[in-house]
Amino acid sequence: MRYGDWAETDHRVLAAVHAQGRRPAVAAAARALSFGGEHGALWIAAGLAGAALDRPRRAGWLRGTALIAAAHLASMGVKRVVRRPRPRPETYPPLVRTAGRHSFPSSHAASAAAAAIAFAALSPATRPVAVPAATAMCLSRLVAGVHYPTDIAAGALLGAATAAAGRTWLTNAPGGPRA
């Protein structure tokens, strides 16, 4: 597939998903998720809550939270190198304000994917909540009109790779994972 084909597909998918933001409930959900995911806040708060509530595996939850923060920081570093501009606001009116001008990769997607993988590794019982929540977070950025699909895919891959790279460290924490 040529670059032009990727760019056209990016725009077509973004246009279709962004159009869903005309529905008030969808727009409200996208705004809430976008706000909660800023700087990985929702995921970091969930990891800290896990550490506070699950004392036997506190070290694992704290390590998972560190992996989420690492994924977010890695995505910010890549953004500074790539410097891809966000979708044009005149074409895709944004539903939210953004912390920066650059879109590739999505930091929301990086932290969400890292959280879903880390939380599921710590406690497989969290998977039915963490994975759909992370997916919704990723989609919210398209509905909000502030990322292209390739930004989301790259962010999710970066977050997944970060969590996967730290999986042994995560699961070897005192208390270990629980089935």
Side-chain angles (χ1 to χ4, degrees), residues 25-122:
V26 174
R31 285 186 187 101
L33 286 164
S34 287
F35 177 76
E38 200 64 51
H39 302 295
L42 173 72
W43 308 111
I44 290 170
L48 294 175
L53 298 171
D54 187 3
R55 290 186 174 201
R57 292 183 298 150
R58 175 175 283 163
W61 286 104
L62 292 174
R63 288 177 181 188
T65 303
L67 289 172
I68 294 163
H72 178 77
L73 290 172
S75 71
M76 296 300 292
V78 173
K79 275 183 198 254
R80 290 185 180 273
V81 172
V82 175
R83 306 178 66 82
R84 180 184 194 184
R86 292 193 183 272
R88 295 173 52 99
E90 42 302 336
T91 305
Y92 305 104
L95 299 179
V96 296
R97 291 183 184 201
T98 59
R101 298 184 323 242
H102 302 115
S103 68
F104 185 92
S106 166
S107 297
H108 280 69
S111 60
I117 291 170
F119 295 164
L122 283 168

Side-chain angles (χ1 to χ4, degrees), residues 148-163:
Y148 295 102
T150 50
D151 300 337
I152 301 299
L157 285 170
L158 179 60
T162 303

Side-chain angles (χ1 to χ4, degrees), residues 136-147:
M137 178 71 69
C138 291
L139 288 173
S140 77
R141 304 303 281 169
L142 298 175
V143 171
V146 295
H147 280 291

Side-chain angles (χ1 to χ4, degrees), residues 2-16:
R2 296 173 311 175
Y3 172 77
D5 295 337
W6 280 109
E8 183 178 331
T9 301
D10 240 6
H11 283 282
R12 285 183 183 206
V13 172
L14 175 56

